[in-house]
Amino acid sequence: MRFWVNVLVISLLIVCIVSFVHAAFAVTYQEAADQVAEADQTLRNAFNGVLDAEKNGANVSALLPRLTEAGSALTRAEEALRIGNYSDAVDRAGTCKSLASSVAGDAVALKIDAVAASGNWWIMVLFSVAASVVFVGVLFFVWRWFKDRKSVV
């Protein structure tokens, strides 16, 4: 008899613990919807950052697969939210936010590099034009000097 009492107590204890753990990790619809909306905004910011970097001349081709992956994670999060799997929606929204934040940071770095390279390009063009003018000027004076010298001889 004592054995069955112990089994009953242990069974009730396990049921209580399992119920508590499930309740402790439960996610409400509003929490999941907020996370999905935040992930959507983070993805939009990342997309705008990549677009801005590309407009400034950066090569963003390496960022596009990661941006696509973040978009896929957001789509899966929205689908999980729609079917009522709120914890999965929060997990996938977190994945989307992580990827999108990473892409946005890399896009800013690429934009800074592209702007710096663009400024360096103009300086290089300016010095090339100046050097060409000096070279043509020196060439002209040397030609005149040889021409004048040939007339004397």
Side-chain angles (χ1 to χ4, degrees):
M1 183 73 166
R2 182 168 170 89
F3 172 75
W4 292 111
V5 171
N6 286 340
V7 169
L8 181 64
V9 169
I10 291 174
S11 298
L12 287 174
L13 186 61
I14 290 173
V15 168
C16 289
I17 289 173
V18 169
S19 298
F20 173 73
V21 169
H22 179 68
F25 292 114
V27 178
T28 66
Y29 171 80
Q30 190 58 46
E31 292 170 337
D34 290 344
Q35 290 295 316
V36 170
E38 189 177 322
D40 182 52
Q41 187 59 44
T42 304
L43 183 60
R44 288 175 190 269
N45 291 341
F47 178 79
N48 290 333
V50 169
L51 184 62
D52 194 30
E54 186 178 32
K55 284 180 181 177
N56 283 291
N59 181 7
V60 297
S61 59
L63 300 179
L64 296 180
R66 292 172 37 213
L67 194 61
T68 302
E69 187 179 349
S72 296
L74 178 63
T75 301
R76 290 190 302 265
E78 289 171 341
E79 180 64 21
L81 181 65
R82 189 182 66 74
I83 64 173
N85 190 350
Y86 304 138
S87 61
D88 190 38
V90 169
D91 289 341
R92 293 182 187 273
T95 301
C96 174
K97 286 191 292 188
S98 175
L99 286 168
S101 296
S102 172
V103 168
D106 291 347
V108 168
L110 286 175
K111 177 186 172 186
I112 290 170
D113 291 345
V115 169
S118 174
N120 291 341
W121 184 81
W122 282 109
I123 290 172
M124 190 171 55
V125 167
L126 180 67
F127 279 120
S128 296
V129 168
S132 297
V133 168
V134 168
F135 176 75
V136 169
V138 168
L139 190 62
F140 176 74
F141 286 118
V142 168
W143 175 74
R144 291 284 297 185
W145 182 70
F146 276 117
K147 184 177 174 190
D148 290 342
R149 191 167 172 214
K150 186 176 180 184
S151 345
V152 173
V153 174

Coordinates of all heavy atoms in Angstrom, one line a residue, residues 29-85:
Y29 N -0.9 35.6 -27.4 CA -1.0 36.1 -28.7 C -0.4 37.5 -28.9 O 0.3 37.8 -29.8 CB -2.5 36.1 -29.2 CG -2.6 36.8 -30.5 CD1 -2.4 36.2 -31.7 CD2 -3.0 38.2 -30.6 CE1 -2.5 36.8 -32.9 CE2 -3.2 38.8 -31.8 CZ -2.9 38.2 -32.9 OH -3.0 38.8 -34.2
Q30 N -0.7 38.4 -27.9 CA -0.2 39.7 -28.0 C 1.4 39.8 -27.9 O 2.0 40.6 -28.7 CB -0.8 40.6 -26.9 CG -0.5 42.1 -27.0 CD -1.1 42.6 -28.3 OE1 -2.2 42.3 -28.7 NE2 -0.2 43.4 -29.0
E31 N 2.0 39.0 -27.1 CA 3.4 39.0 -27.0 C 4.0 38.5 -28.3 O 5.0 39.1 -28.8 CB 3.9 38.0 -25.9 CG 3.6 38.5 -24.5 CD 3.8 37.5 -23.4 OE1 3.8 36.3 -23.7 OE2 4.0 37.9 -22.3
A32 N 3.4 37.4 -28.9 CA 3.9 36.9 -30.2 C 3.7 37.9 -31.3 O 4.6 38.2 -32.1 CB 3.2 35.6 -30.5
A33 N 2.5 38.6 -31.3 CA 2.3 39.6 -32.3 C 3.2 40.8 -32.2 O 3.7 41.3 -33.3 CB 0.8 40.1 -32.2
D34 N 3.5 41.2 -31.0 CA 4.5 42.3 -30.8 C 5.9 41.9 -31.3 O 6.6 42.7 -32.0 CB 4.6 42.6 -29.3 CG 3.3 43.3 -28.8 OD1 2.5 43.8 -29.7 OD2 3.2 43.4 -27.6
Q35 N 6.3 40.7 -31.1 CA 7.6 40.2 -31.5 C 7.7 40.1 -33.0 O 8.7 40.5 -33.7 CB 7.9 38.8 -30.9 CG 8.2 38.8 -29.4 CD 9.5 39.6 -29.1 OE1 10.5 39.5 -29.7 NE2 9.4 40.5 -28.1
V36 N 6.6 39.6 -33.7 CA 6.5 39.5 -35.1 C 6.6 40.9 -35.7 O 7.3 41.2 -36.7 CB 5.3 38.7 -35.6 CG1 5.1 38.8 -37.1 CG2 5.5 37.3 -35.1
A37 N 5.8 41.9 -35.1 CA 5.8 43.2 -35.7 C 7.2 43.9 -35.5 O 7.6 44.6 -36.4 CB 4.8 44.1 -34.9
E38 N 7.8 43.6 -34.4 CA 9.2 44.2 -34.2 C 10.2 43.6 -35.2 O 11.0 44.2 -35.8 CB 9.7 43.9 -32.8 CG 10.9 44.5 -32.4 CD 11.3 44.3 -30.9 OE1 10.4 44.2 -30.1 OE2 12.5 44.1 -30.7
A39 N 10.0 42.3 -35.5 CA 10.9 41.6 -36.5 C 10.6 42.2 -37.9 O 11.6 42.4 -38.6 CB 10.6 40.1 -36.5
D40 N 9.4 42.5 -38.2 CA 9.0 43.1 -39.5 C 9.7 44.4 -39.6 O 10.2 44.8 -40.6 CB 7.5 43.2 -39.6 CG 7.1 43.8 -40.9 OD1 7.5 43.3 -41.9 OD2 6.3 44.7 -40.9
Q41 N 9.6 45.3 -38.6 CA 10.2 46.6 -38.6 C 11.8 46.5 -38.7 O 12.4 47.2 -39.5 CB 9.9 47.4 -37.4 CG 10.3 48.8 -37.4 CD 9.7 49.6 -38.6 OE1 8.6 49.4 -38.9 NE2 10.6 50.3 -39.3
T42 N 12.4 45.5 -38.0 CA 13.8 45.3 -38.1 C 14.2 44.9 -39.5 O 15.2 45.4 -40.1 CB 14.3 44.3 -37.1 OG1 13.8 44.6 -35.8 CG2 15.8 44.1 -37.1
L43 N 13.4 44.0 -40.1 CA 13.7 43.6 -41.5 C 13.5 44.8 -42.5 O 14.3 44.9 -43.4 CB 12.8 42.5 -41.9 CG 13.0 41.9 -43.3 CD1 14.4 41.3 -43.4 CD2 12.0 40.8 -43.6
R44 N 12.5 45.6 -42.3 CA 12.4 46.8 -43.2 C 13.6 47.7 -43.0 O 14.0 48.3 -44.0 CB 11.1 47.5 -42.8 CG 9.8 46.8 -43.2 CD 8.6 47.6 -42.7 NE 7.4 46.8 -42.9 CZ 6.6 46.8 -44.0 NH1 7.0 47.6 -45.0 NH2 5.6 46.1 -44.0
N45 N 14.0 47.9 -41.8 CA 15.2 48.8 -41.6 C 16.4 48.2 -42.3 O 17.2 48.9 -42.9 CB 15.5 49.0 -40.1 CG 14.4 49.8 -39.4 OD1 13.6 50.6 -40.1 ND2 14.3 49.7 -38.1
A46 N 16.6 46.9 -42.2 CA 17.7 46.2 -42.8 C 17.6 46.4 -44.4 O 18.6 46.7 -45.0 CB 17.8 44.8 -42.4
F47 N 16.4 46.2 -44.9 CA 16.3 46.4 -46.3 C 16.6 47.8 -46.8 O 17.3 48.0 -47.8 CB 14.8 46.0 -46.7 CG 14.5 46.2 -48.2 CD1 14.9 45.2 -49.1 CD2 13.9 47.3 -48.7 CE1 14.7 45.4 -50.5 CE2 13.7 47.5 -50.0 CZ 14.1 46.5 -50.9
N48 N 16.1 48.8 -46.0 CA 16.4 50.2 -46.4 C 17.9 50.4 -46.2 O 18.5 51.2 -47.0 CB 15.6 51.1 -45.5 CG 14.2 51.1 -45.8 OD1 13.8 50.8 -47.0 ND2 13.3 51.4 -44.9
G49 N 18.6 49.8 -45.3 CA 20.0 50.0 -45.1 C 20.8 49.4 -46.3 O 21.7 50.0 -46.8
V50 N 20.4 48.2 -46.8 CA 21.0 47.6 -47.9 C 20.8 48.5 -49.2 O 21.7 48.7 -50.0 CB 20.5 46.2 -48.1 CG1 20.9 45.6 -49.4 CG2 21.0 45.3 -47.0
L51 N 19.6 49.0 -49.3 CA 19.2 49.8 -50.5 C 20.1 51.1 -50.4 O 20.6 51.5 -51.5 CB 17.7 50.2 -50.4 CG 17.2 51.0 -51.6 CD1 17.4 50.2 -52.9 CD2 15.7 51.3 -51.4
D52 N 20.2 51.7 -49.3 CA 21.0 52.9 -49.1 C 22.5 52.6 -49.4 O 23.2 53.4 -50.1 CB 20.9 53.5 -47.7 CG 21.4 54.9 -47.6 OD1 21.3 55.6 -48.6 OD2 21.8 55.2 -46.5
A53 N 23.0 51.5 -49.0 CA 24.4 51.1 -49.2 C 24.6 50.9 -50.7 O 25.6 51.3 -51.3 CB 24.8 49.9 -48.5
E54 N 23.6 50.3 -51.4 CA 23.7 50.1 -52.8 C 23.7 51.4 -53.6 O 24.4 51.6 -54.6 CB 22.6 49.1 -53.3 CG 22.8 48.8 -54.8 CD 21.7 47.8 -55.2 OE1 20.6 47.9 -54.7 OE2 22.0 47.0 -56.1
K55 N 22.8 52.3 -53.2 CA 22.8 53.6 -53.8 C 24.1 54.4 -53.7 O 24.4 55.2 -54.6 CB 21.7 54.5 -53.2 CG 20.3 54.1 -53.6 CD 19.2 54.9 -53.0 CE 17.8 54.5 -53.4 NZ 16.8 55.3 -52.7
N56 N 24.9 54.1 -52.7 CA 26.1 54.8 -52.5 C 27.3 54.0 -53.1 O 28.4 54.3 -52.9 CB 26.4 55.0 -51.0 CG 25.7 56.1 -50.4 OD1 25.9 57.3 -50.7 ND2 24.7 55.8 -49.6
G57 N 27.0 53.0 -53.9 CA 28.0 52.3 -54.7 C 28.6 51.0 -54.0 O 29.5 50.5 -54.5
A58 N 28.0 50.6 -52.9 CA 28.5 49.4 -52.2 C 28.1 48.1 -53.0 O 27.0 48.1 -53.5 CB 28.1 49.4 -50.8
N59 N 28.9 47.1 -52.9 CA 28.6 45.8 -53.5 C 27.8 45.0 -52.4 O 28.4 44.5 -51.4 CB 29.8 45.1 -53.9 CG 29.5 43.7 -54.5 OD1 28.3 43.4 -54.7 ND2 30.5 43.0 -54.8
V60 N 26.5 45.0 -52.5 CA 25.7 44.3 -51.5 C 25.3 42.9 -51.8 O 24.4 42.4 -51.1 CB 24.4 45.2 -51.2 CG1 24.8 46.6 -50.7 CG2 23.6 45.3 -52.4
S61 N 25.9 42.3 -52.8 CA 25.5 41.0 -53.2 C 25.6 39.9 -52.1 O 24.9 39.0 -52.1 CB 26.2 40.6 -54.5 OG 27.6 40.5 -54.2
A62 N 26.6 40.1 -51.2 CA 26.8 39.1 -50.2 C 25.7 39.3 -49.1 O 25.4 38.3 -48.3 CB 28.2 39.3 -49.5
L63 N 25.0 40.4 -49.0 CA 24.0 40.6 -48.0 C 22.6 40.1 -48.4 O 21.8 39.8 -47.6 CB 23.9 42.1 -47.7 CG 25.1 42.8 -47.1 CD1 24.8 44.3 -46.9 CD2 25.6 42.2 -45.9
L64 N 22.4 40.0 -49.7 CA 21.1 39.6 -50.2 C 20.6 38.2 -49.8 O 19.5 38.1 -49.4 CB 21.1 39.7 -51.8 CG 21.3 41.2 -52.3 CD1 21.2 41.2 -53.8 CD2 20.3 42.1 -51.7
P65 N 21.5 37.2 -49.8 CA 21.0 35.9 -49.3 C 20.6 35.9 -47.8 O 19.6 35.3 -47.4 CB 22.2 34.9 -49.5 CG 23.0 35.6 -50.6 CD 22.8 37.0 -50.4
R66 N 21.4 36.7 -47.0 CA 21.0 36.8 -45.6 C 19.7 37.6 -45.4 O 18.9 37.3 -44.5 CB 22.2 37.4 -44.8 CG 23.4 36.5 -44.8 CD 24.6 37.1 -44.2 NE 24.5 38.0 -43.1 CZ 25.3 39.0 -42.9 NH1 26.3 39.2 -43.7 NH2 25.1 39.8 -41.9
L67 N 19.5 38.6 -46.2 CA 18.3 39.3 -46.2 C 17.1 38.5 -46.6 O 16.0 38.5 -45.9 CB 18.4 40.6 -47.1 CG 17.4 41.7 -46.9 CD1 17.4 42.2 -45.5 CD2 17.6 42.7 -48.0
T68 N 17.3 37.6 -47.6 CA 16.3 36.7 -48.0 C 16.0 35.7 -46.9 O 14.8 35.3 -46.6 CB 16.7 35.9 -49.3 OG1 16.9 36.9 -50.3 CG2 15.6 35.0 -49.7
E69 N 17.0 35.2 -46.2 CA 16.8 34.3 -45.1 C 16.0 34.9 -44.0 O 15.2 34.3 -43.4 CB 18.2 33.8 -44.6 CG 18.1 32.7 -43.6 CD 19.5 32.2 -43.2 OE1 20.5 32.6 -43.8 OE2 19.5 31.5 -42.1
A70 N 16.3 36.2 -43.7 CA 15.6 36.9 -42.6 C 14.1 37.0 -43.0 O 13.2 36.9 -42.2 CB 16.2 38.2 -42.4
G71 N 13.9 37.3 -44.3 CA 12.5 37.4 -44.8 C 11.8 36.1 -44.7 O 10.6 36.1 -44.4
S72 N 12.5 35.0 -45.0 CA 11.8 33.7 -44.8 C 11.5 33.4 -43.4 O 10.4 32.8 -43.1 CB 12.8 32.6 -45.4 OG 13.0 32.8 -46.7
A73 N 12.4 33.8 -42.5 CA 12.1 33.6 -41.0 C 10.9 34.4 -40.6 O 10.1 33.9 -39.8 CB 13.3 33.9 -40.2
L74 N 10.8 35.6 -41.1 CA 9.6 36.4 -40.8 C 8.3 35.8 -41.4 O 7.3 35.8 -40.7 CB 9.8 37.9 -41.4 CG 8.6 38.8 -41.1 CD1 8.4 39.0 -39.6 CD2 8.8 40.1 -41.8
T75 N 8.4 35.3 -42.6 CA 7.2 34.6 -43.2 C 6.8 33.4 -42.3 O 5.6 33.3 -42.1 CB 7.5 34.2 -44.6 OG1 7.9 35.3 -45.3 CG2 6.3 33.5 -45.2
R76 N 7.8 32.7 -41.9 CA 7.4 31.5 -41.0 C 6.9 31.9 -39.7 O 6.0 31.3 -39.1 CB 8.7 30.6 -40.9 CG 9.0 29.9 -42.2 CD 10.1 28.8 -41.9 NE 11.3 29.4 -41.4 CZ 12.4 29.7 -42.1 NH1 12.4 29.6 -43.4 NH2 13.5 30.2 -41.5
A77 N 7.4 33.1 -39.2 CA 6.9 33.6 -37.9 C 5.4 34.0 -38.0 O 4.6 33.8 -37.2 CB 7.8 34.7 -37.4
E78 N 5.1 34.7 -39.1 CA 3.8 35.2 -39.4 C 2.8 34.0 -39.5 O 1.7 34.0 -39.1 CB 3.7 36.1 -40.6 CG 4.4 37.4 -40.3 CD 4.5 38.3 -41.6 OE1 4.5 37.7 -42.7 OE2 4.7 39.5 -41.5
E79 N 3.3 33.0 -40.2 CA 2.5 31.8 -40.4 C 2.2 31.1 -39.1 O 1.1 30.6 -38.8 CB 3.2 30.8 -41.4 CG 2.4 29.5 -41.7 CD 1.1 29.8 -42.3 OE1 0.9 30.8 -43.0 OE2 0.2 28.9 -42.2
A80 N 3.3 31.0 -38.2 CA 3.1 30.3 -36.9 C 2.1 31.2 -36.1 O 1.3 30.6 -35.3 CB 4.5 30.2 -36.2
L81 N 2.2 32.5 -36.2 CA 1.3 33.3 -35.4 C -0.2 33.1 -35.9 O -1.1 33.0 -35.1 CB 1.7 34.8 -35.6 CG 0.8 35.8 -34.9 CD1 1.0 35.7 -33.4 CD2 1.2 37.2 -35.3
R82 N -0.3 33.0 -37.2 CA -1.6 32.8 -37.8 C -2.3 31.5 -37.4 O -3.5 31.5 -37.1 CB -1.6 32.8 -39.3 CG -2.9 32.9 -40.0 CD -2.8 32.9 -41.5 NE -2.2 31.6 -42.1 CZ -2.9 30.5 -42.1 NH1 -4.1 30.4 -41.7 NH2 -2.3 29.4 -42.6
I83 N -1.5 30.4 -37.3 CA -2.1 29.1 -36.9 C -2.1 28.9 -35.4 O -2.7 27.9 -34.9 CB -1.3 28.0 -37.5 CG1 0.1 27.9 -37.1 CG2 -1.4 28.0 -39.0 CD1 0.9 26.6 -37.5
G84 N -1.6 29.9 -34.6 CA -1.7 29.8 -33.2 C -0.5 29.2 -32.4 O -0.6 29.0 -31.2
N85 N 0.6 29.0 -33.1 CA 1.8 28.5 -32.5 C 2.6 29.7 -32.0 O 3.6 30.0 -32.7 CB 2.5 27.5 -33.5 CG 3.6 26.8 -32.8 OD1 4.0 27.0 -31.6 ND2 4.2 25.9 -33.5

